[in-house]
Amino acid sequence: MNSDARPRTPVPPSRLPDVGTTIFTVMSALAARHGAVNLGQGFPDFDCDAGLVDAVTAAMRAGHNQYPPMAGVPALRQALAAKIERLHGHSYDPDSEITITAGATQAILTAVLAFVHPGDEVIVLEPCYDSYGPAVALAGGRLVRVPLDPQSFRIDFDRLAAALTPRTRALIVNTPHNPTGTAWTEDDRRTLAELLRPTDVIVLSDEVYEHTVFDGRRHASVSGDAELAARSLVISSFGKTFHVTGWKVGHVAAPRPLMAEFRKVHQFNVFTVNTPMQHGLAAWLADPAHYEGLADFYQRKRDRFRAGLQAATRFELLPCAGSYFQCVDYGRISPLPDQAFCEWLTTEAGVAAIPLSAFTAAAPSRPVVRFCFAKTDATLDEALRRLARL
Ligand code: PMP
Ligand code: GLN
């Protein structure tokens, strides 16, 4: 056939030229190909509570199968407002200040698109979750990377202060933190509130691990500080709280003027989110026991996994105050860079992990990888058996 007659696919310049497939997808595929225990991508390998599935099924059978209101099912927004008020003492109006989203990822992108104008600066604290940078790029914003303290992975407030300029539109924060497992203290929160006081910076606070804070500590939500709450969008996800990462239902709470702008974008982004899931989640939230036990549940897994790593492997453990991630220094085991080490670990040792460099622009100063311990005890024990051979 004459090549001129071939239909032509025009390929415009990429909006995200530096982005490939996410490391989570890549490592899960590699783990599947090699039969490795997958402690890479962050998701539970056990099922959610059958009662939650029943609640969603009941909602479908009751005919809740058409579009819900744009902001989300009122019962779910009301349940969330009551929960936030009880836990953090801040009152959000369910009608005008809470919106249900298709997971936290959509909430973050929608928030960035709603507030970031081309040329605006957006600060992220590295290492950070991999969706923040591309979201800022899509909005035409300028990403400003401020490293967390390389030893403690806590906020370096001096560096953060130095990065603030009159062009700073937003700061994206995350506590408990993926990948490092740090969790803010109330002092961290207060210091941030004071630092931002003279500015017009908006805070996007990614709190998807809000119910996974260990050792009796409380989650320091930005909603618990009146000053920060006034300038923040608080983002979370039911995926982490109820072991349903595949449902992709999350939520955002913010003061009315910020939420009004958020919704302008949300309504043309997804418009609304899965109706029966929202009804089921509203019913499930009615019993606080369904999320209050989560920290203890994951603390037991953290302790089991850490004890095993400590006793039988040459990894050096970093602290883990929250989230379901355990970072380790592998310097005693291998000289490989972290991505190559993760590939080797998956194919040769049969355990998948995520390299710290997936969360940073520059190569990290320490050889660190992240393991996810949201797994059955049997999965964790099998991973430990394999890691003990290294
Ligand atoms: N933020 C962080 C810090 C996460 O770890 C994740 C997912 N693991 C998300 C956002 C995305 O959450 P969702 O699956 O609800 O989009
Ligand atoms: N947030 C999960 C993690 O950090 C993965 C989500 C994803 O695959 N994009 O592992």
Side-chain angles (χ1 to χ4, degrees), residues 252-339:
V252 182
R256 180 194 286 251
L258 297 181
M259 187 52 80
E261 289 301 314
F262 179 93
R263 287 181 181 174
K264 285 185 192 173
V265 179
H266 177 78
Q267 67 187 342
F268 297 121
N269 183 346
V270 286
F271 179 51
T272 54
V273 174
N274 194 311
T275 309
M277 299 289 184
Q278 292 192 55
H279 282 280
L281 288 163
W284 200 243
L285 268 183
D287 182 355
H290 292 151
Y291 51 87
E292 281 176 348
L294 195 69
D296 282 346
F297 172 80
Y298 277 128
Q299 186 170 323
R300 278 193 293 277
K301 293 201 178 292
R302 177 200 67 169
D303 291 347
R304 184 186 192 95
F305 189 52
R306 283 178 69 89
L309 287 172
Q310 190 83 59
T313 77
R314 293 193 292 147
F315 289 108
E316 192 186 327
L317 299 183
L318 275 58
C320 173
S323 83
Y324 48 50
F325 301 115
Q326 173 65 53
C327 284
V328 295
D329 183 319
Y330 62 89
R332 289 193 288 230
I333 296 175
S334 167
L336 288 171
D338 62 6
Q339 167 111 20

Side-chain angles (χ1 to χ4, degrees), residues 47-60 244 247 276-277 280 284:
D47 209 354
C48 65
D49 198 300
L52 176 55
V53 175
D54 290 344
V56 172
T57 308
M60 286 188 198
V244 287
W247 288 11
M277 299 289 184
W284 200 243

Side-chain angles (χ1 to χ4, degrees), residues 101-272:
T101 61
T105 311
Q106 183 242 316
I108 292 160
L109 178 61
T110 299
V112 169
L113 292 175
F115 296 106
V116 176
H117 297 248
D120 284 356
E121 292 173 4
V122 179
I123 298 176
V124 295
L125 306 175
E126 279 198 343
C128 68
Y129 191 56
D130 68 341
S131 83
Y132 304 164
V136 173
L138 287 172
R142 198 170 85 73
L143 194 67
V144 177
R145 306 164 192 276
V146 174
L148 294 168
D149 178 276
Q151 288 309 315
S152 66
F153 292 120
R154 297 184 58 193
I155 299 178
D156 182 337
F157 283 103
D158 292 335
R159 293 190 78 150
L160 178 55
L164 290 169
T165 78
R167 292 176 302 283
T168 308
R169 175 72 63 200
L171 165 68
I172 307 181
V173 295
N174 170 219
T175 183
H177 190 251
N178 179 7
T180 67
T182 54
W184 285 5
T185 62
E186 290 188 10
D187 277 353
D188 292 328
R189 185 172 66 182
R190 198 81 283 279
T191 308
L192 182 65
E194 284 163 17
L195 182 63
L196 297 183
R197 188 174 296 149
T199 75
D200 282 329
V201 172
I202 289 170
V203 176
L204 307 187
S205 187
D206 179 344
E207 302 186 9
V208 300
Y209 302 102
E210 60 180 320
H211 295 296
T212 310
V213 180
F214 305 134
D215 306 314
R217 287 178 46 196
R218 279 171 49 81
H219 168 53
S221 172
V222 296
S223 63
D225 180 291
E227 217 180 328
L228 274 182
R231 60 169 74 234
S232 296
L233 290 97
V234 189
I235 295 163
S236 191
S237 173
F238 293 109
K240 317 292 171 180
T241 302
F242 294 140
H243 314 308
V244 287
T245 59
W247 288 11
K248 298 298 295 185
V249 185
H251 50 94
V252 182
R256 180 194 286 251
L258 297 181
M259 187 52 80
E261 289 301 314
F262 179 93
R263 287 181 181 174
K264 285 185 192 173
V265 179
H266 177 78
Q267 67 187 342
F268 297 121
N269 183 346
V270 286
F271 179 51
T272 54

